[in-house]
Amino acid sequence: MNRRKKIVAGNWKMNLNSQQVLKLMQALNRSEQEFDCDVIVFPPFVYLVDVIDFANGGGRISVGAQNCAATENGAYTGEVSPAQLADIGVEYVLIGHSERRIYYNENHSFIADKLKCSLANNLRPVFCCGEPQIVREAGEQLTYVKQQLVESLFTLKTEEIGQVIVAYEPVWAIGTGLNASAEQAQEMHTFIRHQIAEHYSLAIANEIQILYGGSCKPGNAAELFACHDVDGGLIGGASLIAEDFLNIISLAH
Ligand code: PGA
């Protein structure tokens, strides 16, 4: 048994309207289920303030943003800075999600800048990495993820890295209903932890929480969370349904 506390995080992506947000947060707050893990939700920007209010009312859910700018302020039309997010009570931010890498061409150095800027503004980044299907089919997934780590995450200093949460999200598993097997997840999570140990220290590597994401559902979460190096999940689709999300939370301890 390791000492790392599990995390279940809900990435709502660009889903829900204000009524649906209200209903979902009410259902999460009202549930009498005990949470043995840390629970974080990542709503769209426009609902952050409301969700933070709800979360503060319930006292057991933290709130993160799905994205942030790579700079502190200035003439960047349409961007939201980590300082602004921290200012309204946001605690976490997703960085390097494959949808942002693929649709918005976010590259390694841009992701590294976002990591640094969010840490400088007291936001804890959830650094997402993971290989596309073609890379998995070629058996190159470890090399591919290593490069994502080296070129972005490992640009952080030793005193910064401990604030980061890592999420391994194989692209072929996201939104496809085809999750990684427990063996595949464990193999990659151990690999990531070894890389962190080599680059920083064993002590740091043993503390860092590494989440699994990609079609994680009530039906497969128990098996995935039982893996020694899987410290919880980053949940997309299933986090939009209160019952499913609560069910996954109940499996994380
Ligand atoms: P999914 O998404 O659970 O819908 O596969 C996970 C994610 O993209 O974070």
Side-chain angles (χ1 to χ4, degrees):
M1 200 57 202
N2 64 54
R3 297 186 296 116
R4 297 181 297 272
K5 190 167 186 191
K6 286 211 167 34
I7 298 174
V8 173
N11 175 10
W12 296 355
K13 309 193 181 185
M14 200 173 70
N15 292 300
L16 307 178
N17 60 31
S18 48
Q19 278 307 311
Q20 293 165 327
V21 166
L22 176 81
K23 272 179 113 176
L24 180 53
M25 285 308 290
Q26 279 174 340
L28 297 180
N29 270 351
R30 276 199 205 125
S31 150
E32 286 177 8
Q33 180 183 317
E34 288 218 17
F35 293 179
D36 287 335
C37 60
D38 289 333
V39 176
I40 314 169
V41 292
F42 291 86
F45 281 121
V46 287
Y47 304 124
L48 279 171
V49 172
D50 285 347
V51 172
I52 288 167
D53 275 352
F54 275 119
N56 287 346
R60 57 185 191 158
I61 297 174
S62 302
V63 182
Q66 294 175 21
N67 184 28
C68 68
T71 35
E72 291 213 2
N73 52 46
Y76 297 96
T77 302
E79 289 292 275
V80 179
S81 77
Q84 291 168 326
L85 294 168
D87 182 46
I88 61 161
V90 171
E91 294 176 82
Y92 298 88
V93 61
L94 296 181
I95 294 182
H97 192 283
S98 62
E99 286 151 17
R100 296 215 58 90
R101 292 177 191 260
I102 296 165
Y103 304 141
Y104 304 99
N105 299 319
E106 292 196 5
N107 63 22
H108 297 308
S109 72
F110 189 54
I111 289 167
D113 288 346
K114 288 188 178 199
L115 286 171
K116 287 187 202 103
C117 195
S118 49
L119 286 164
N121 289 282
N122 299 316
L123 280 189
R124 287 192 68 185
V126 177
F127 171 77
C128 306
C129 56
E131 79 288 353
Q133 185 166 8
I134 187 169
V135 172
R136 168 70 60 173
E137 280 165 3
E140 299 289 335
Q141 63 273 13
L142 299 183
T143 317
Y144 186 94
V145 170
K146 182 173 178 182
Q147 194 188 4
Q148 292 181 318
L149 297 173
V150 169
E151 303 221 10
S152 303
L153 189 64
F154 294 170
T155 64
L156 296 179
K157 301 193 188 89
T158 306
E159 59 270 28
E160 293 174 318
I161 187 81
Q163 283 304 305
V164 179
I165 296 160
V166 176
Y168 168 56
E169 298 203 305
V171 180
W172 46 271
I174 296 178
T176 58
L178 187 75
N179 60 288
S181 67
E183 294 70 33
Q184 288 170 324
Q186 173 58 25
E187 182 196 36
M188 183 61 82
H189 284 229
T190 322
F191 175 76
I192 293 170
R193 209 177 292 289
H194 279 147
Q195 293 300 313
I196 297 170
E198 267 185 25
H199 202 86
Y200 296 95
S201 72
L202 189 58
I204 289 175
N206 281 336
E207 294 280 319
I208 286 192
Q209 289 145 309
I210 307 177
L211 313 183
Y212 168 78
S215 298
C216 187
K217 310 266 183 227
N220 58 32
E223 199 190 347
L224 288 159
F225 296 171
C227 299
H228 183 265
D229 287 297
V230 176
D231 303 313
L234 179 55
I235 321 297
S239 72
L240 301 171
I241 304 157
E243 196 189 338
D244 285 359
F245 194 53
L246 286 165
N247 217 319
I248 294 171
I249 292 169
S250 75
L251 299 168
H253 39 74

